[in-house]
Amino acid sequence: MSTIIYFLCLSLLTSVSKSINDSTSLYLSPTIFFPNYQNMLNSFKIYIYTPSKPFSFSSPTESLFFTSLQASPFVTQNPEEAHLFFVPFASNLSTRSIARFIRDLRMEFPYWNRTLGADHFYVSCAGLGYESDRNLVELKKNSVQISCFPVPEGKFVPHKDISLPPLARITRASHAPGNRTVRYLVRHGGVKDSKLANELRNDSDFLMESEPSNEMTLVERLGSSMFCLFEDGADISGIGEALRFGCVPVMVTDRPMQDLPLMDVLSWQKIAVFVGSGGGIKEMKRVLDRTCKDDECEGTRRLGVAASQHFGWNEIPQPYDSFYMVVYQLWLRRHTIRYPRREFV
């Protein structure tokens, strides 16, 4: 299996080699990423604890990640050779039950106590909050949380947590028409019902989707639009599809977005545009005209399309797809730090 994956990676490497040598690479560290990815395939081992009883996740993305992980070559039955440990529990499990599960792991196995959970990870679509129980504090503070993007405010720790790329709504079409006839597309749910939304509806430059489109209509709209607007706090899960069809994502936000998928790997400033909401659409257009002229946007669009290969989920994972990229981010976190003990009341 690992040999097949190796040759698949080599073939894909040819298609992205231009990005490696390009000074405008979509990757944060292109010369490091590809050999490190190969090291992951050859070496990474994950031990999955056995849950106390059968469970399920609440979202398809969580479920797909878990089933892919279980069937992957990364799983080991020998915890002594594991780099990381996966703590499986249901999305709707109570905090008391989670705390009990962690307490049992602490008592039954030696691995949690070695790092206070810093070499452990778990999946929680909505993310966990901070609790007073010692077991939950260590889980939240030390362990890697894998959440669904976007993550609710206050539930994401940027230096350690990971967000899952959203599951694409468009499944069949491989490309979209390249004739850009619409400058700004605002996806259904992409902005909050606010002053900004009212301004957008009253400006003829913006195409507002009043309701979800069918797949082919959505492909046509994405393929004919230069920019796709997403407002922080609204539904921004369609960002991967925008990248795929060459519609430059415009993130309307007044804060640093630290839960974007694949932030350890991708240079988001090169595949998307970030603008504030304070100046309204007039200021937004001015910023876009200044930072993303047509010739410059073509490079942004090209890098975005290349990046979209990492936003695809497959029932059988493929090299460099969402599953492998999430695992790669876990691989980057395999070097753990022992946190000092503290007393809990």
Side-chain angles (χ1 to χ4, degrees):
M1 174 66 72
S2 60
T3 303
I4 295 174
I5 293 174
Y6 175 77
F7 285 108
L8 283 172
C9 288
L10 286 181
S11 64
L12 276 176
L13 191 60
T14 303
S15 66
V16 296
S17 59
K18 186 175 182 180
S19 292
I20 299 179
N21 300 317
D22 192 343
S23 61
T24 60
S25 170
L26 62 93
Y27 301 104
L28 290 172
S29 302
T31 57
I32 296 175
F33 168 59
F34 290 96
N36 203 13
Y37 180 95
Q38 189 59 49
N39 289 337
M40 173 197 73
L41 295 179
N42 295 333
S43 306
F44 199 17
K45 296 300 178 184
I46 296 171
Y47 182 78
I48 301 177
Y49 290 113
T50 301
S52 57
K53 57 183 179 179
F55 75 98
S56 61
F57 289 108
S58 60
S59 79
T61 316
E62 290 174 294
S63 298
L64 190 52
F65 172 79
F66 183 51
T67 55
S68 298
L69 177 63
Q70 288 178 302
S72 76
F74 303 115
V75 174
T76 178
Q77 302 303 316
N78 179 9
E80 293 297 334
E81 68 176 10
H83 298 92
L84 293 182
F85 298 80
F86 179 55
V87 183
F89 52 83
S91 300
N92 60 354
L93 195 65
S94 68
T95 54
R96 178 177 296 181
S97 297
I98 297 173
R100 188 181 302 118
F101 188 19
I102 300 300
R103 182 201 63 193
D104 293 344
L105 294 183
R106 183 195 304 279
M107 297 177 64
E108 185 176 352
F109 298 93
Y111 311 108
W112 182 277
N113 290 322
R114 293 188 309 192
T115 64
L116 302 185
D119 55 358
H120 289 57
F121 70 98
Y122 62 96
V123 174
S124 174
C125 193
L128 297 182
Y130 290 91
E131 305 287 343
S132 59
D133 181 275
R134 167 187 179 169
N135 300 288
L136 291 175
V137 169
E138 290 183 359
L139 179 68
K140 178 64 179 178
K141 174 187 173 185
N142 300 343
S143 302
V144 178
Q145 174 182 279
I146 300 180
S147 305
C148 297
F149 172 76
V151 186
E153 187 175 357
K155 298 293 185 68
F156 189 85
V157 181
H159 75 273
K160 68 176 184 66
D161 292 345
I162 298 170
S163 64
L164 295 168
L167 198 63
R169 180 183 166 193
I170 302 171
T171 57
R172 295 189 298 273
S174 60
H175 64 279
N179 185 19
R180 308 282 160 178
T181 58
V182 177
R183 189 157 182 82
Y184 308 101
L185 174 66
V186 184
R187 295 280 299 274
H188 177 78
V191 295
K192 296 178 288 189
D193 188 11
S194 61
K195 178 182 177 181
L196 176 62
N198 291 330
E199 286 189 70
L200 295 172
R201 292 189 187 96
N202 294 325
D203 192 303
S204 59
D205 287 340
F206 293 87
L207 175 60
M208 297 281 290
E209 285 189 335
S210 58
E211 59 184 24
S213 309
N214 62 51
E215 184 169 303
M216 290 312 299
T217 301
L218 185 52
V219 168
E220 292 173 358
R221 289 184 176 177
L222 288 171
S224 63
S225 303
M226 293 184 64
F227 300 102
C228 287
L229 267 66
F230 300 93
E231 185 180 12
D232 188 15
D235 180 10
I236 52 180
S237 61
I239 191 170
E241 292 172 323
L243 291 168
R244 178 182 172 189
F245 293 104
C247 187
V248 177
V250 177
M251 313 303 295
V252 183
T253 178
D254 297 312
R255 65 174 181 89
M257 297 191 70
Q258 299 178 308
D259 63 334
L260 287 165
L262 313 182
M263 286 200 72
D264 297 326
V265 184
L266 299 181
S267 180
W268 273 97
Q269 295 294 338
K270 295 177 182 176
I271 61 176
V273 180
F274 297 82
V275 299
S277 63
I281 61 174
K282 183 176 181 180
E283 176 65 13
M284 186 186 306
K285 289 181 180 180
R286 190 187 68 81
V287 171
L288 290 175
D289 289 341
R290 184 186 69 224
T291 60
C292 195
K293 298 178 182 178
D294 290 346
D295 53 343
E296 296 170 351
C297 268
E298 186 55 40
T300 303
R301 187 176 297 115
R302 174 178 56 81
L303 291 176
V305 172
S308 68
Q309 68 170 314
H310 303 312
F311 285 78
W313 287 96
N314 301 287
E315 290 189 8
I316 300 177
Q318 302 297 317
Y320 297 105
D321 71 359
S322 289
F323 171 73
Y324 276 103
M325 296 302 287
V326 171
V327 173
Y328 177 74
Q329 291 179 100
L330 288 170
W331 167 252
L332 296 179
R333 288 159 172 75
R334 71 194 184 279
H335 301 299
T336 59
I337 299 173
R338 185 179 179 85
Y339 288 81
R341 289 188 179 276
R342 52 169 289 189
E343 294 298 324
F344 294 88
V345 296

